[in-house]
């Protein structure tokens, strides 16, 4: 990719960093009182036992810049690294380094964990011959969605919709409340306009036919697996080819262990929460270096 990942971030993202710092030190900084303001250099180390993808460096840089520190990165955002790896060097006043330490490490651990998992699942699907899209879901952490969706992008997968305003998705509760799939789609189209895709969750082949006939752009075959998923997808394509244009999405309980049976090219999109829910964090640490004594 030729662009810089931090160019994706909205103007408001730096205020989130300020809020994280405020949350972590709401009153007195007792540890900062102990260490004072001597200029120090700290090494950011990628640890743990697994090869990992670095993700979250713009957030970490901003955390320390708001504290008057500077960060020099030695690993590029989105690159793999083998532990133990010297990821970056952070320079600034000792108490400021420690004010940012835990906020930065926690963020980097989760964002890199999401990117690593995303990259691993994408590569696994590709090794099975899957040519479609791997997408994360909206089952993100409140207040931390921007970081988690960013981690998916760095890991090379599709972030799916970011919020309720990004795309119209009609699920079972929408349909039941509206009375039918067709009624729900018609109401959504009346306000959504031409610029928003309409993704409809269905449980059966008959519901899929109704959604396609009513003009849905994406048909989510929810919790269909194995032979049922393959046969339904193929029949839908045969029946509607040349009549309607739509994408087929498979969702529900997609993991690395069962990916092989879902990674079929009759499906356009595999959407999963496995890339961010209960994802293993990547271990990082920040170590302040002892000042070198002048040699006599």
């Amino acid at each position: 990719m030729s662009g810089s990942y931090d160019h994706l971030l909205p103007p408001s993202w730096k205020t989130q960093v300020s809020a994280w710092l405020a949350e972590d030190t709401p009153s007195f900084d007792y540890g900062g009182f102990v260490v004072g303001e001597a200029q120090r250099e700290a090494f950011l180390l990628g640890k743990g036992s697994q090869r990992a993808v670095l993700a979250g460096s713009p957030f970490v840089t901003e955390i320390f810049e708001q504290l008057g520190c500077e960060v020099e990165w030695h690993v590029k955002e989105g690159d793999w690294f083998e532990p133990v790896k010297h990821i970056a060097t952070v320079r600034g006043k000792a108490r400021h380094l420690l004010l940012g330490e835990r906020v930065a490490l926690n963020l980097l651990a989760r964002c890199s964990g999401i990117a690593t998992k995303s990259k691993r699942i994408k590569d696994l699907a590709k090794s099975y011959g899957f040519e479609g899209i791997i997408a994360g879901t909206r089952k993100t952490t409140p207040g931390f969605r921007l970081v988690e969706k960013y981690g998916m992008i760095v890991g090379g997968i599709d972030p799916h919709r970011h919020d309720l305003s990004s795309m119209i998705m009609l699920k079972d509760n929408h349909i039941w409340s509206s009375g039918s799939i067709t009624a729900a789609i018609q109401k959504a189209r009346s306000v959504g306009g031409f610029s928003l895709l309409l993704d409809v969750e269905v449980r059966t082949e008959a519901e899929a036919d109704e959604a396609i006939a009513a003009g849905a752009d994406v048909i989510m075959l929810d919790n269909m697996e194995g032979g049922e998923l393959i046969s339904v997808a193929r029949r839908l394509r045969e029946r509607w080819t040349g009549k309607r244009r739509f994408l087929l999405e498979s969702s529900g309980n997609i993991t690395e262990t069962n990916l092989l049976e879902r990674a079929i090219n009759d499906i356009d999109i595999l959407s999963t929460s496995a890339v961010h829910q209960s994802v293993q964090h990547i271990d990082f640490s920040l170590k302040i270096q002892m000042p070198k004594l002048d040699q006599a």
Side-chain angles (χ1 to χ4, degrees), residues 124-244:
L124 185 60
K126 187 176 180 180
S127 74
Y128 295 150
F130 183 63
E131 299 173 356
I133 295 168
I134 303 292
T137 71
R138 200 171 59 89
K139 294 178 180 178
T140 48
T141 309
F144 210 60
R145 178 181 305 166
L146 183 69
V147 177
E148 293 174 344
K149 290 291 188 179
Y150 173 89
M152 296 175 200
I153 293 172
V154 174
I157 69 169
D158 192 297
H160 213 292
R161 62 175 180 159
H162 287 246
D163 48 55
L164 288 174
S165 303
S166 299
M167 179 174 70
I168 304 172
M169 180 176 286
L170 302 178
K171 307 190 81 174
D172 50 9
N173 285 321
H174 299 95
I175 293 163
W176 295 335
S177 298
S178 300
S180 71
I181 290 172
T182 301
I185 290 175
Q186 288 174 344
K187 290 178 183 178
R189 284 292 186 209
S190 70
V191 293
F194 72 90
S195 64
L196 292 176
L197 290 178
L198 205 163
D199 192 337
V200 180
E201 178 186 88
V202 301
R203 297 167 299 168
T204 66
E205 186 173 347
E207 288 184 349
D209 278 325
E210 183 181 355
I212 294 168
D217 300 297
V218 184
I219 309 301
M220 182 192 292
L221 304 174
D222 190 46
N223 288 307
M224 289 190 190
E225 301 179 22
E228 179 190 16
L229 176 65
I230 297 172
S231 60
V232 168
R234 289 178 179 172
R235 285 196 297 268
L236 289 172
R237 293 205 182 278
E238 291 171 1
R239 190 153 55 245
W240 290 98
T241 295
K243 301 174 184 176
R244 294 280 191 181

Side-chain angles (χ1 to χ4, degrees), residues 257-277:
T257 56
N258 65 13
L259 185 61
L260 178 59
E261 66 182 57
R262 306 287 281 275
I264 58 172
N265 285 318
D266 297 286
I267 298 296
D268 301 292
I269 306 159
L270 295 177
S271 56
T272 176
S273 62
V275 296
H276 54 291
Q277 285 199 320

